[in-house]
């Protein structure tokens, strides 16, 4: 009976989110217009490796067996991040989900920032956090750059972006099709990028490149894949940083490796991987992440996209850590070279 109630609740939540998303789409829907490319057909973006289908989404919802998560987890206390770090230095702080603070060369970068209570278009339903962000918004150092990998609600959080604008007005980097959407939300300091596009920033000698990933985009019912998803490569004075965003494992990693033979730091997803038959097309599991770590010749990786929002996935909240440990042993990777940081914990990269 308890299992049936969970399934029905899950279906109800999805229904509410879809209806709310559809309403918002009819109010604000604008399609990206641009030339046809090898990943844009004139209407929607795509990649050559298989993604999920709508019938598979329905099957997943009807057959889900999500594991119990704690109702709430208290974070440990860690020192506030520094205001900035010096030239050549590099620190990364895990905040929550796919949100990290990357500090290098006197520059502060946030990835996929979310401080909202829910990853949802509505405040009363949808995936709810089971722990606070590891760093309070008020404890952030001045933010220069924000990277948004794609438009899903757990990665593009409008409330958080608007709060960051009030405090810091950072430059926001996004994929094609998202600039106009953010401009309509009074977020004007936005740079829109295609895959492999590289932008020289106004900060020191840092550049930002947008690179392919195996994922998808959607905020409502009618806008599937109408904006571009991807990862980012950040150039620093002592080597590049790779932030994958959400992604499945795929052939695109080899192309990234051709253009960037080694990375100083990799930020890779290790959660939201079950049910595996469904999730493998667009989310890496810990073993996929370890393979990506090796494929990309990353010196130091940290895992993200875990343990924050219930209802987004079916694995237990602590399974990413357990499975990562197994994968590192299986692939003979030094466990110190691929870490899962605690919420709010900072790692200095030597």
């Amino acid at each position: 009976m308890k299992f049936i109630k969970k399934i029905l609740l899950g279906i109800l939540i999805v229904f509410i989110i879809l209806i709310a998303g559809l309403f918002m789409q009819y109010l604000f829907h604008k399609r990206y217009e641009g030339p046809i490319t090898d990943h844009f057909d004139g209407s929607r973006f795509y990649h050559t490796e298989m993604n999920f289908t709508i019938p598979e989404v329905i099957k997943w919802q009807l057959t889900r067996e999500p594991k119990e998560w704690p109702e709430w987890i208290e974070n440990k206390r860690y020192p506030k991040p520094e205001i900035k770090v010096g030239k050549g230095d590099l620190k990364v702080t895990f905040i929550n989900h796919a949100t990290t603070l990357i500090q290098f060369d006197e520059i502060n970068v946030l990835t996929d920032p979310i401080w909202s209570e829910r990853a949802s278009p509505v405040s009363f339903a949808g995936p709810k956090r089971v722990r606070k962000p590891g760093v309070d918004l008020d404890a952030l150092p001045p933010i220069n750059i924000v990277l948004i990998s794609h438009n899903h609600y757990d990665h593009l959080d409008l409330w958080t972006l608007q709060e960051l604008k009030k405090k810091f007005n950072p430059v926001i980097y996004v994929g094609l099709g998202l600039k106009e959407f953010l401009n309509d939300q009074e977020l004007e300091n936005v740079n829109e990028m295609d895959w492999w596009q590289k932008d020289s920033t106004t900060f020191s000698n840092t550049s930002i490149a947008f690179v392919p990933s195996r994922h998808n985009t959607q905020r409502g019912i009618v806008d599937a894949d109408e904006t571009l998803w991807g990862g980012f490569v950040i150039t620093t004075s002592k080597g590049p940083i790779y932030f994958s965003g959400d992604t499945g494992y795929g052939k695109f990693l080899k192309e990234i490796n051709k253009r960037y033979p080694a990375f100083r730091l990799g930020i890779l997803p290790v959660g939201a991987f079950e049910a595996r038959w469904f999730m493998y097309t667009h989310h890496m599991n810990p073993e996929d992440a370890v393979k990506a770590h090796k494929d990309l010749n990353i010196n130091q990786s940290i895992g993200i996209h875990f343990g924050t929002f219930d209802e987004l996935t079916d694995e237990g909240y602590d399974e990413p850590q357990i499975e990562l440990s197994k994968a590192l042993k299986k692939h003979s990777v030094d466990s110190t070279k691929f870490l899962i940081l605690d919420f709010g914990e900072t790692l200095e990269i030597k």
Side-chain angles (χ1 to χ4, degrees):
M1 183 62 70
K2 190 175 181 181
F3 171 71
I4 294 174
K5 285 183 179 179
K6 279 193 170 185
I7 294 296
L8 292 175
L9 178 60
I11 294 172
L12 177 62
I13 289 171
V14 170
F15 178 75
I16 291 171
I17 291 173
L18 289 177
I19 293 299
L22 179 61
F23 177 71
M24 292 176 69
Q25 283 298 310
Y26 277 123
L27 287 179
F28 305 114
H29 187 229
K30 295 178 183 178
R31 285 194 170 190
Y32 169 77
E33 296 180 0
I36 293 174
T37 68
D38 63 355
H39 53 277
F40 182 64
D41 64 10
S43 177
R44 299 182 189 276
F45 293 93
Y46 65 94
H47 54 73
T48 56
E49 296 181 79
M50 184 182 67
N51 208 332
F52 60 80
T53 63
I54 295 300
E56 287 175 329
V57 175
I58 296 171
K59 177 184 174 183
W60 175 53
Q61 286 298 323
L62 292 175
T63 61
R64 290 184 71 176
E65 296 183 7
K67 294 185 179 177
E68 289 279 355
W69 278 38
E71 288 190 13
W72 189 252
I73 303 169
E74 285 296 331
N75 292 332
K76 294 180 182 177
R77 288 181 173 270
Y78 289 93
K80 289 197 305 183
E82 296 181 44
I83 297 297
K84 60 184 178 181
V85 301
K87 193 79 170 177
D89 294 335
L90 173 60
K91 291 186 177 183
V92 58
T93 303
F94 178 63
I95 296 175
N96 65 182
H97 203 51
T99 309
T100 65
L101 169 65
I102 310 168
Q103 299 182 282
F104 61 95
D105 299 344
E106 301 183 345
I107 301 169
N108 296 323
V109 177
L110 277 180
T111 64
D112 288 353
I114 181 166
W115 267 261
S116 287
E117 187 68 15
R118 293 183 185 271
S120 171
V122 295
S123 61
F124 56 86
K128 186 177 182 181
R129 65 169 59 250
V130 299
R131 62 201 305 170
K132 291 182 179 179
V135 178
D136 291 338
L137 264 175
D138 291 340
L140 285 173
I143 302 300
N144 307 112
I145 294 171
V146 170
L147 307 179
I148 301 293
S149 63
H150 63 296
N151 73 351
H152 289 160
Y153 289 94
D154 55 325
H155 294 261
L156 195 166
D157 180 43
L158 286 174
W159 178 82
T160 296
L161 291 180
Q162 287 159 350
E163 290 299 306
L164 292 171
K165 175 192 172 181
K166 292 175 190 175
K167 293 171 68 67
F168 312 116
N169 195 29
V171 182
I172 304 172
Y173 285 88
V174 298
L176 293 179
L178 276 175
K179 181 174 182 177
E180 187 172 8
F181 170 73
L182 292 179
N183 288 169
D184 288 345
Q185 311 301 317
E186 300 184 349
L187 295 161
E188 299 87 6
N189 198 7
V190 179
N191 282 6
E192 188 175 74
M193 305 179 79
D194 198 358
W195 285 348
W196 304 120
Q197 185 175 341
K198 190 174 182 179
D199 182 63
S200 297
T201 72
T202 58
F203 306 102
S204 186
N205 294 317
T206 300
S207 65
I208 305 291
F210 198 52
V211 297
S213 68
R214 186 181 179 185
H215 202 59
N216 62 292
T217 56
Q218 191 164 13
R219 284 178 81 85
I221 294 177
V222 300
D223 67 333
D225 298 336
E226 289 185 0
T227 63
L228 186 59
W229 59 91
F232 290 91
V233 174
I234 310 167
T235 301
T236 78
S237 63
K238 287 191 175 181
I241 297 167
Y242 174 57
F243 167 61
S244 71
D246 258 7
T247 184
Y249 185 82
K251 298 175 184 177
F252 69 92
L253 292 166
K254 292 181 179 179
E255 186 60 34
I256 293 174
N257 181 242
K258 287 180 184 177
R259 301 182 187 224
Y260 301 94
F263 287 97
R264 188 180 181 190
L265 171 66
I267 301 172
L268 303 172
V270 296
F273 56 84
E274 293 289 0
R276 197 73 201 128
W277 67 266
F278 174 67
M279 290 292 189
Y280 83 96
T281 62
H282 52 293
H283 284 164
M284 290 196 286
N285 63 8
E287 183 169 4
D288 288 340
V290 171
K291 290 192 292 185
H293 169 87
K294 296 179 71 174
D295 291 346
L296 294 171
N297 192 22
I298 298 173
N299 172 58
Q300 177 69 60
S301 290
I302 69 160
I304 58 167
H305 206 254
F306 67 93
T308 307
F309 294 100
D310 197 357
E311 302 166 10
L312 283 178
T313 183
D314 292 348
E315 77 261 13
Y317 83 100
D318 57 351
E319 280 189 62
Q321 291 93 324
I322 295 169
E323 294 303 314
L324 178 61
S325 179
K326 294 177 183 177
L328 290 170
K329 290 178 182 177
K330 178 179 177 179
H331 291 276
S332 301
V333 175
D334 184 345
S335 62
T336 66
K337 289 296 183 179
F338 198 139
L339 300 173
I340 288 185
L341 302 180
D342 200 4
F343 285 55
E345 184 178 5
T346 298
L347 177 68
E348 182 174 4
I349 313 299
K350 299 297 186 182

